[in-house]
């Protein structure tokens, strides 16, 4: 909620009327008479009463706009990025009773609120075609000069004035950024522009705010999910940094194979120093240095996406000034969570817990079955639903306000259903609600990469039989391979020692049929990977054998051998054993 601060010079309290003298009639409207049109509430919000005399039915007009909030209490944004507003009789912090009534004399209106300082509202009461405004104030905004540590320890709703350095800019449209003064870090959630309006006109650019600037701001404190925020701050002073990142040769992550990126600086201080975080020194080094540029080289990455925040520092002899940039490196192409090797839901849950309550920088992929659907909104074009490994609504990941296939908006509510198999792409996080409840989730903006309807042949809930898989592959045509993954269920006929899993190649080859016998309707599983879509690399792992029931997942193909024979089979190293006698790991 936007707070308006002002100091009233005079608050007039008009004596309540007891008659209809000509003097009273010169002061009040014909249909509405109030004992006062100014209501002053104490800081603790103790109820205040005024008297109303109405000649006909009356009501407070629904003209006060407040921001719409979601279930977690966060402001709802529309597709255009702007706040969604709703109307109500009074602002959400103010209680007025009653809000409407019939004609009568000496009607009592009661005003109350929770404890706070410096709030105001202008209400409109209508009666018989006439409108009477009522101004309500609560306390006087008192500004406390404080350090970030004092703000963190201080009370919510209190207004603070703080000076600190911009450490990161989270959103330029609304003016969201981080401030640190050496005693702690706080989040600035909304920056008023130079006219005093909220920062929907890119207040960051209007003020020229950059990382490293020392800024003095003023605004009320709130705490959201454990994050201390100053909301819709007023900028009082900006002391520009003497060092600034002017250009980065590439904003894309460095390739997993390794590579270089050059950061060009503007330095007005006495030289500069470069700080690479200790945890990044094993893979990121300086390979070039000049008076206004630094080149960094990343070593080959055999694992997950990684990043480092590089700090550049200069001084004027009295004070240090800093600037920062982030250098990232892509994960190995077939690393777990990549498009080639999407997480299982269980793996995604573990990754969410590892990442924590702030959304990851990296986009991850996960594969699962829709276990429940909270909402499909055709107005906003997104949906919120859960996915799990087995379709049961336990051990799930929530896909929060996800878009449809390919990032398109949902056009119909029946585009997805419980039981559908999906691959999701987006940023992961372990969301923590106000009551402390933790929910592994794909953050808002995630999208469906592939969708297979739950009742479709070849889905996990309706896998192909070996005979159906053969017919499906034959229909593909010679040499063609499916783009999507399919499931085939059967029992292993035989695995020879030569084709058994081994640590050299990590795959296995065998035939399956419905009953495990060579009945003439078998399907060829060629060089499939192990459980969890991984190569067999540990001799202690369980080996499949004849008679075991398996579900194979992956891409299917119609192969033509050197003799011209067409063979329906799985695509080499593009399938894996999804389950072995019911076990998936």
């Amino acid at each position: 909620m936007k707070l308006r601060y002002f100091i009233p010079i005079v608050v007039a309290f008009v004596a309540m009327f007891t008659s209809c003298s000509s003097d009273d009639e010169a002061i009040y409207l014909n249909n509405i008479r109030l004992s006062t049109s100014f209501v002053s509430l104490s800081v603790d919000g103790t109820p205040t009463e005024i008297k109303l005399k109405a000649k006909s039915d009356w009501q407070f007009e629904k003209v006060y706009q407040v921001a719409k909030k979601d279930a977690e209490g966060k402001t709802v944004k529309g597709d255009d990025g702007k706040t969604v507003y709703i109307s109500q009789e009074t602002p959400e912090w103010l209680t007025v009773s009653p809000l409407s009534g019939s004609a009568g004399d000496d009607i009592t209106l009661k005003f109350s609120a929770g404890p706070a300082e410096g709030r105001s509202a202008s209400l409109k009461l209508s009666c018989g075609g006439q409108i009477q405004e009522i101004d309500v104030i609560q306390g006087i905004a008192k500004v406390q000069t404080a350090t970030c540590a004092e703000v963190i320890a201080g009370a919510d709703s209190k207004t603070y004035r703080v000076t600190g350095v911009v450490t990161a800019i989270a959103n330029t449209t609304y003016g969201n950024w981080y401030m640190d003064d050496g005693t702690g870090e706080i989040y600035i959630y909304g920056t008023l522009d130079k006219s005093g309006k909220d920062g929907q006109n890119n207040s960051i650019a209007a003020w020229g705010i950059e990382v490293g600037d020392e800024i003095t701001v003023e605004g009320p404190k709130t705490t959201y999910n454990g994050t201390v925020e100053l909301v819709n701050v007023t900028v009082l002073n900006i002391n520009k940094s003497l060092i600034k990142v002017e250009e980065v040769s590439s904003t894309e992550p460095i390739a997993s194979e390794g590579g270089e990126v050059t950061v060009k600086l503007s330095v007005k201080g006495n030289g500069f120093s470069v700080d690479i975080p200790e945890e990044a020194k094993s893979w990121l080094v300086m390979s070039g240095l000049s008076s206004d540029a630094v080149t960094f080289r990343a070593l080959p990455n055999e694992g997950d996406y990684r990043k480092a925040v590089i700090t550049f520092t200069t001084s004027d002899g009295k004070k240090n000034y800093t600037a920062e940039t982030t250098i990232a490196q892509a994960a190995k192409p077939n690393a777990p969570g990549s498009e080639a090797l999407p997480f299982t839901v269980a793996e995604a849950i573990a990754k969410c817990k590892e990442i924590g309550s702030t959304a990851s920088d990296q986009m991850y992929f996960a594969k699962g079955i829709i276990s429940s659907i909270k909402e499909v909104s055709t107005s906003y074009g997104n949906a919120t639903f859960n996915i799990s490994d087995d379709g049961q609504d336990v051990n799930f990941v929530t896909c929060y306000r996800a878009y449809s296939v390919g990032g398109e908006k949902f056009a119909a509510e029946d585009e997805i259903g419980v039981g559908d198999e999906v691959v999701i792409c987006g940023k992961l996080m372990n969301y923590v609600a106000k009551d402390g409840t933790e929910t592994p989730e794909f953050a808002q903006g995630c999208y469906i990469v592939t969708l297979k309807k739950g009742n479709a042949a070849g889905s996990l809930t309706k896998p192909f039989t070996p005979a159906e898989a053969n017919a499906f592959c034959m229909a593909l045509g010679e040499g063609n391979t499916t783009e999507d993954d399919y499931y085939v269920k059967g029992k292993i006929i035989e695995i020879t020692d030569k084709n058994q899993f081994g640590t050299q190649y990590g795959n296995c080859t065998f035939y399956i049929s419905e009953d495990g016998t060579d009945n003439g309707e078998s399907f060829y599983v060629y060089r499939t990977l192990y459980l969890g879509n991984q190569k067999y690399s540990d001799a202690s792992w369980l080996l499949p054998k004849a008679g075991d029931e398996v579900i194979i997942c992956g891409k299917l193909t119609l192969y033509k051998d050197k003799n011209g024979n067409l063979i329906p089979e799985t695509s080499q190293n593009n399938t894996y054993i999804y389950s072995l006698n019911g076990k998936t790991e």
Side-chain angles (χ1 to χ4, degrees):
M1 182 175 66
K2 306 291 189 290
L3 304 182
R4 292 178 290 173
Y5 306 112
F6 64 93
I7 300 177
I9 299 174
V10 177
V11 179
F13 292 91
V14 181
M16 291 189 296
F17 56 88
T18 56
S19 66
C20 297
S21 67
S22 59
D23 287 340
D24 286 335
E25 291 175 352
I27 296 174
Y28 299 105
L29 300 174
N30 291 332
N31 293 324
I32 311 170
R33 296 192 178 187
L34 296 170
S35 57
T36 177
S37 59
F38 292 92
V39 176
S40 179
L41 293 172
S42 62
V43 171
D44 64 10
T46 300
T48 297
E49 297 179 353
I50 67 173
K51 295 294 183 179
L52 163 67
K53 182 176 182 178
K55 289 189 175 182
S56 58
D57 292 349
W58 59 274
Q59 65 179 8
F60 281 93
E61 292 293 312
K62 293 185 179 182
V63 296
Y64 204 94
Q65 300 289 314
V66 296
K68 184 178 181 181
K69 302 294 182 67
D70 60 20
E72 287 76 36
K74 204 66 174 176
T75 300
V76 174
K77 304 289 185 181
D79 289 339
D80 58 0
K82 296 183 178 180
T83 300
V84 177
Y85 289 96
I86 57 176
S87 295
Q88 62 180 48
E89 290 86 349
T90 65
E92 53 190 6
W93 61 269
L94 178 64
T95 300
V96 181
S97 179
L99 293 173
S100 62
S102 303
D105 295 339
D106 293 336
I107 301 166
T108 299
L109 300 179
K110 180 182 288 187
F111 298 77
S112 61
E117 294 179 347
R119 299 195 289 200
S120 66
S122 181
L123 310 181
K124 292 183 178 181
L125 191 150
S126 66
C127 179
Q130 293 182 327
I131 299 291
Q132 171 67 55
E133 291 194 0
I134 303 175
D135 291 320
V136 182
I137 63 170
Q138 182 180 15
I140 297 174
K142 295 179 181 179
V143 180
Q144 177 181 332
T145 300
T147 64
C148 289
E150 289 170 336
V151 173
I152 292 170
D156 281 4
S157 300
K158 193 173 184 64
T159 300
Y160 293 91
R161 180 178 296 175
V162 191
T163 300
V165 174
V166 180
T167 57
I169 295 173
N171 180 289
T172 59
T173 302
Y174 298 97
N176 301 344
W177 46 281
Y178 291 88
M179 168 188 283
D180 193 318
D181 67 349
T183 69
E185 185 177 70
I186 57 176
Y187 186 47
I188 307 300
Y189 185 75
T191 303
L192 301 182
D193 62 23
K194 293 183 178 181
S195 66
K197 297 180 180 179
D198 63 29
Q200 294 188 17
N201 296 318
N202 199 343
S203 59
I204 294 290
W207 284 108
I209 295 174
E210 298 172 299
V211 172
D213 290 348
E214 183 184 67
I215 302 183
T216 301
V217 298
E218 185 177 290
K221 176 196 170 184
T222 188
T223 303
Y224 178 75
N225 281 345
T227 299
V228 173
E229 304 175 350
L230 291 186
V231 181
N232 292 338
V233 301
T234 299
V235 175
L236 302 179
N237 183 64
I238 298 180
N239 183 22
K240 297 297 293 180
S241 176
L242 296 183
I243 189 168
K244 182 170 65 173
V245 173
E246 291 286 359
E247 182 183 343
V248 180
S249 60
S250 175
T251 57
E252 294 296 319
I254 297 172
S256 61
E257 295 81 7
E260 293 187 334
V261 62
T262 298
V263 181
K264 188 174 181 180
L265 304 167
S266 171
V267 184
K268 298 180 181 179
N270 303 321
F272 68 92
S273 62
V274 182
D275 179 35
I276 300 175
E278 195 65 35
E279 63 272 16
K281 290 180 179 179
S282 62
W283 63 272
L284 188 66
V285 297
M286 282 195 299
S287 58
L289 179 66
S290 68
S291 61
D292 65 350
V294 184
T295 298
F296 298 90
R297 184 175 74 252
L299 304 179
N301 186 6
E302 293 297 322
D304 204 355
Y305 169 94
R306 56 192 181 186
K307 68 174 183 177
V309 178
I310 310 301
T311 304
F312 307 94
T313 304
T314 189
S315 174
D316 61 3
K318 298 180 181 179
K319 184 185 298 183
N320 290 335
Y321 298 83
T322 62
E324 294 180 346
T325 194
T326 299
I327 295 177
Q329 186 175 24
K332 190 176 181 180
N334 60 348
S338 64
E339 186 170 11
L341 188 62
F343 283 139
T344 64
V345 174
E347 290 170 336
I349 291 171
K351 193 66 178 180
C352 288
K353 292 180 178 179
E354 175 188 326
I355 290 168
S357 59
T358 301
S360 63
D361 293 312
Q362 182 184 358
M363 302 288 279
Y364 289 97
F365 294 80
K367 184 177 183 180
I369 299 171
I370 296 178
S371 56
S372 65
I373 299 173
K374 179 179 180 181
E375 177 187 30
V376 178
S377 171
T378 54
S379 298
Y380 296 112
N382 56 38
T384 298
F385 53 89
N386 295 338
I387 60 172
S388 67
D389 282 322
D390 58 5
Q392 301 299 310
D393 205 29
V394 292
N395 300 321
F396 56 79
V397 169
T398 296
C399 302
Y400 182 63
R401 293 181 180 173
Y403 289 106
S404 190
V405 178
E408 297 293 327
K409 291 184 177 181
F410 279 93
E413 293 185 4
D414 62 357
E415 285 186 39
I416 56 173
V418 172
D420 291 351
E421 181 185 277
V422 293
V423 173
I424 303 292
C425 176
K427 297 181 177 182
L428 290 175
M429 66 182 297
N430 198 44
Y431 177 76
V432 181
K434 288 182 178 180
D435 62 0
T437 303
E438 297 182 9
T439 304
E441 73 173 34
F442 274 101
Q444 180 174 351
C446 60
Y447 64 94
I448 298 173
V449 180
T450 62
L451 168 67
K452 188 183 275 86
K453 299 301 291 183
N455 58 355
S459 65
L460 180 57
T461 55
K462 193 177 179 181
F464 285 137
T465 64
E468 290 171 336
N470 284 330
F472 179 81
C473 289
M474 291 300 293
L476 290 175
E478 176 188 328
N480 291 323
T481 302
T482 62
E483 293 184 1
D484 295 334
D485 291 344
Y486 290 88
Y487 293 85
V488 186
K489 182 178 181 180
K491 291 184 177 181
I492 298 174
I493 298 174
E494 181 185 10
I495 303 178
T496 65
D497 291 339
K498 178 181 178 181
N499 290 325
Q500 180 61 279
F501 276 118
T503 55
Q504 181 178 5
Y505 299 109
N507 57 38
C508 184
T509 299
F510 49 85
Y511 284 91
I512 60 174
S513 67
E514 282 199 73
D515 59 5
T517 64
D518 191 5
N519 56 13
E521 194 58 81
S522 59
F523 180 71
Y524 191 39
V525 179
Y526 181 63
R527 294 187 179 177
T528 189
L529 300 178
Y530 194 70
L531 289 166
N533 200 8
Q534 57 186 325
K535 287 187 175 182
Y536 180 87
S537 59
D538 190 328
S540 68
W541 290 355
L542 179 68
L543 291 174
K545 61 185 182 302
D548 286 347
E549 183 179 79
V550 294
I551 297 178
I552 305 299
C553 175
K555 295 175 173 53
L556 307 182
T557 189
L558 183 61
Y559 176 70
K560 184 177 182 179
D561 67 14
K562 62 183 180 180
N563 297 319
N565 299 314
L566 295 177
I567 305 174
E569 63 183 44
T570 61
S571 176
Q572 177 179 344
N573 287 326
N574 283 321
T575 64
Y576 65 99
I577 299 178
Y578 173 80
S579 70
L580 175 61
N581 294 325
K583 296 181 178 180
T584 57
E585 58 181 14

